[in-house]
Amino acid sequence: MSEKVKLFDLSKCIGCRSCQLACKQWNQLPASQTVNWGTYQNPPDLQYNTWLLMRFQEISDGNGGVKWIFRKDACMHCTDAACVKVCPTGALFHTKYGTVSLDVSKCIGCKECVIACPFDVPRYNAEVNKIAKCDMCFSRIDATLEPACVKACPTDALIFGDKKEIVEYAHARAEELGGDASVYGDQFVGGTHLMFVLPDKVPVYEKLPENPRVPVSVIAWKDWLKPLSLIAAGGVLAGSFLHYIIHGPKDTSGNGDAGKGGGE
Amino acid sequence: MEMPAREGVNKMIPQKGMIKVSDSFERIVHWCLAISCLVLIITGLGMMFRSFNFIGIPFGGMTNLKLVHNFVGLFFIPALFFAILVWWREAGKFKFPDDLEWIKVAGGYLWHVDEVPKTGKYNPGQKAFFWAVAFFGTIMVITGLIMWFPLDLPREFVRWMYPLHALGFLVIFAFFFVHLYLGTIGVPGSAQAMFTGYVTRSWAEKQCPLWLEEMEKSGKLEIYGQNTIHVQH
Ligand code: SF4
Ligand code: SF4
């Protein structure tokens, strides 16, 4: 089955938040009371019941004017997914589409994925002791439908399709936009399955890491110390056994006891 | 029928002439630490390796496995505290150059050594074990507690708790198993030190000769059936 990618083209987004709403609706996520904190961005951050958040930002356009930016924030569906790497139960897993899904029944609420994710995506729900995040509508894409957010987007700022085609299109689009425009997502963590076309340089965008990577601590833990601990454990088991049959136990009986070999 | 105490080495029931090497408090602390450590290793393995997830089944699932791990960890804290308190004096300090000589010949445990340097109550190998447990045990407690409540601390800091916890497992398991081996079949006659508290004189002569001399000189040595009144039939 071919890998699928969802592309968000910021230059086409009108900030209507249809996607955010569609996500809530399709996934039956409860609403939270919001407050007016001076921006359309609500809730302020991702939550266990908000898997997709439109981030609203105002920046200077360089000519004394203001530019309004809308950026979609959600799970990036990494190929080298730190969350999948650390999850002790396999609750987080890669689907055949390359996306990262969550088997809620297997989640034990350890929060290891929350700490490991380079994009700060998984959110912990204390009430049920589970984490929650976007699964790119696995049930929908597995039924050959597009994700709910893509379906709801009125401007085609969100599109969904086979990885090869989407990546090609993204680069063509960035070129078309010119200037500082770039494609975000295919150059790190093995390639993400949510990608962006960014009209401005990466550091302009809030909470968008410039060079996301699986944390070194996760690599040290999962790729080095885990196998090393197996080798060490096997070493002492085998070593003790070999010691017993080659060197033999220590003779702690009385000196000159009959029937005892010399204490080697 | 009377049996001479020095004949065998496997004296699980104290016999006349056997020597007391540990009191009941030491033995209780030892087993609290040993059992909690073992449960932590088993439950921890169930979470560390996905292929060991089946360890969660008898606990009723992985969520419970984690709960058991966490709460046994809480029990481990006082056990570790008292263990450090109890053995710090006798096993916490290396004595140079004597201990260095012992280390050079690996205590005679690995190859034949004509004369192994005499040791006190604990040999440098055991002292190293004490330090491994004291140091990495403390690391396990700190990292474990942070891993239990990881959300409100700086993320970059919390991330390093996990590999440290894994490193602690690596070190503690290695020492744990060698300790298990040497405390049982590797050095026969040792285990009863942690069950009854009494070992044979020949065991003490070989395992802690300097301590034995010192205790005899100071008259503090407790010998089973001597100096003490035993209420026997
Ligand atoms: S963005 Fe975070 S939660 Fe999503 S796949 Fe990557 S590591 Fe996992
Ligand atoms: S919180 Fe759940 S999904 Fe996240 S690592 Fe732990 S078990 Fe896996």
Side-chain angles (χ1 to χ4, degrees):
Chain A
M1 191 64 66
S2 71
E3 277 183 58
K4 300 283 185 192
V5 166
K6 182 168 75 182
L7 181 73
F8 176 56
D9 182 348
L10 273 79
S11 66
K12 289 189 178 172
C13 177
I14 55 169
C16 70
R17 298 200 293 190
S18 298
C19 52
Q20 189 171 326
L21 192 68
C23 176
K24 280 239 172 194
Q25 221 163 32
W26 176 260
N27 295 300
Q28 302 188 341
L29 301 173
S32 314
Q33 182 64 52
T34 55
V35 290
N36 184 350
W37 60 299
T39 161
Y40 277 93
Q41 184 178 318
N42 245 327
D45 205 350
L46 291 173
Q47 298 175 324
Y48 77 87
N49 57 351
T50 304
W51 300 348
L52 189 177
L53 174 74
M54 288 312 295
R55 294 189 174 277
F56 289 76
Q57 238 183 297
E58 283 158 43
I59 59 163
S60 156
D61 68 355
N63 304 317
V66 167
K67 204 155 121 186
W68 208 12
I69 299 180
F70 321 118
R71 189 192 50 102
K72 180 182 160 77
D73 194 1
C75 173
M76 299 296 289
H77 297 273
C78 316
T79 300
D80 293 335
C83 63
V84 174
K85 233 176 151 75
V86 298
C87 180
T89 62
L92 287 160
F93 64 98
H94 280 110
T95 70
K96 56 194 169 190
Y97 307 106
T99 57
V100 175
S101 259
L102 171 71
D103 180 344
V104 179
S105 66
K106 279 190 182 170
C107 175
I108 60 172
C110 68
K111 314 174 193 85
E112 285 175 21
C113 53
V114 178
I115 303 303
C117 171
F119 294 97
D120 185 27
V121 165
R123 287 294 185 274
Y124 177 66
N125 180 357
E127 221 166 280
V128 291
N129 188 34
K130 309 260 184 201
I131 66 106
K133 73 163 195 76
C134 157
D135 71 344
M136 219 193 268
C137 290
F138 181 52
S139 60
R140 289 179 59 96
I141 58 179
D142 210 28
T144 69
L145 296 170
E146 53 197 1
C149 54
V150 177
K151 176 96 183 160
C153 181
T155 65
D156 277 349
L158 277 170
I159 55 169
F160 177 78
D162 287 344
K163 180 173 178 176
K164 203 174 149 292
E165 283 156 35
I166 298 278
V167 171
E168 261 170 36
Y169 169 79
H171 282 279
R173 176 68 184 157
E175 209 156 298
E176 190 183 320
L177 287 171
D180 288 336
S182 67
V183 176
Y184 185 93
D186 56 351
Q187 63 278 62
F188 34 67
V189 290
T192 61
H193 295 83
L194 165 61
M195 291 174 60
F196 299 136
V197 172
L198 303 174
D200 290 286
K201 289 203 173 83
V202 180
V204 167
Y205 302 96
E206 262 167 21
K207 285 206 76 178
L208 191 63
E210 228 183 319
N211 190 20
R213 46 182 298 180
V214 177
V216 186
S217 56
V218 170
I219 292 168
W221 170 25
K222 293 289 170 180
D223 293 345
W224 304 339
L225 283 163
K226 254 172 73 167
L228 217 62
S229 67
L230 276 189
I231 293 169
V236 289
L237 259 68
S240 299
F241 180 69
L242 287 177
H243 183 267
Y244 193 73
I245 61 167
I246 295 171
H247 187 91
K250 185 159 171 175
D251 183 6
T252 51
S253 61
N255 292 328
D257 273 4
K260 289 279 172 190
E264 213 193 312
Chain B
M1 205 167 132
E2 188 141 336
M3 300 262 280
R6 305 186 66 173
E7 190 198 65
V9 285
N10 226 344
K11 294 280 178 258
M12 269 309 179
I13 298 165
Q15 313 270 328
K16 204 161 183 280
M18 280 174 75
I19 287 162
K20 185 161 185 177
V21 287
S22 57
D23 60 29
S24 53
F25 186 67
E26 273 178 286
R27 299 194 309 269
I28 290 169
V29 169
H30 173 264
W31 288 111
C32 285
L33 192 67
I35 291 167
S36 58
C37 194
L38 188 66
V39 175
L40 287 169
I41 286 175
I42 293 169
T43 52
L45 274 175
M47 289 182 281
M48 187 163 173
F49 296 94
R50 241 168 260 169
S51 44
F52 285 152
N53 276 179
F54 67 85
I55 294 171
I57 296 170
F59 293 88
M62 292 296 289
T63 310
N64 291 352
L65 185 77
K66 183 173 185 293
L67 271 180
V68 171
H69 188 79
N70 291 355
F71 281 93
V72 173
L74 287 186
F75 181 79
F76 177 82
I77 297 173
L80 178 69
F81 175 78
F82 284 112
I84 294 174
L85 213 66
V86 163
W87 286 293
W88 155 254
R89 210 173 44 80
E90 287 172 324
K93 296 169 212 159
F94 285 90
K95 237 177 75 196
F96 293 108
D98 311 35
D99 281 349
L100 199 66
E101 295 305 315
W102 189 96
I103 291 166
K104 276 187 195 152
V105 297
Y109 280 95
L110 296 182
W111 57 88
H112 179 78
V113 176
D114 284 328
E115 199 160 341
V116 177
K118 285 184 172 185
T119 57
K121 183 87 178 267
Y122 295 105
N123 65 45
Q126 290 168 300
K127 290 177 186 175
F129 180 51
F130 170 86
W131 274 108
V133 171
F135 181 74
F136 283 98
T138 308
I139 293 229
M140 290 314 248
V141 169
I142 296 169
T143 55
L145 284 173
I146 293 172
M147 287 158 74
W148 195 349
F149 304 101
L151 294 185
D152 296 321
L153 288 162
R155 189 118 328 159
E156 228 0 92
F157 167 74
V158 175
R159 276 182 184 159
W160 284 99
M161 298 302 113
Y162 300 89
L164 271 177
H165 208 73
L167 179 69
F169 162 73
L170 190 160
V171 175
I172 290 176
F173 181 83
F175 275 95
F176 180 91
F177 193 81
V178 171
H179 175 69
L180 183 68
Y181 166 64
L182 291 177
T184 53
I185 59 171
V187 183
S190 305
Q192 55 257 52
M194 281 304 137
F195 286 109
T196 66
Y198 285 92
V199 297
T200 61
R201 178 172 282 272
S202 51
W203 185 95
E205 276 166 0
K206 293 198 171 167
Q207 290 308 102
C208 32
L210 294 179
W211 173 82
L212 189 62
E213 280 168 26
E214 197 189 307
M215 295 302 275
E216 277 189 314
K217 237 190 267 159
S218 64
K220 279 194 223 143
L221 196 65
E222 260 187 69
I223 302 172
Y224 196 82
Q226 279 179 30
N227 310 336
T228 44
I229 302 144
H230 288 281
V231 194
Q232 277 169 340
H233 59 93

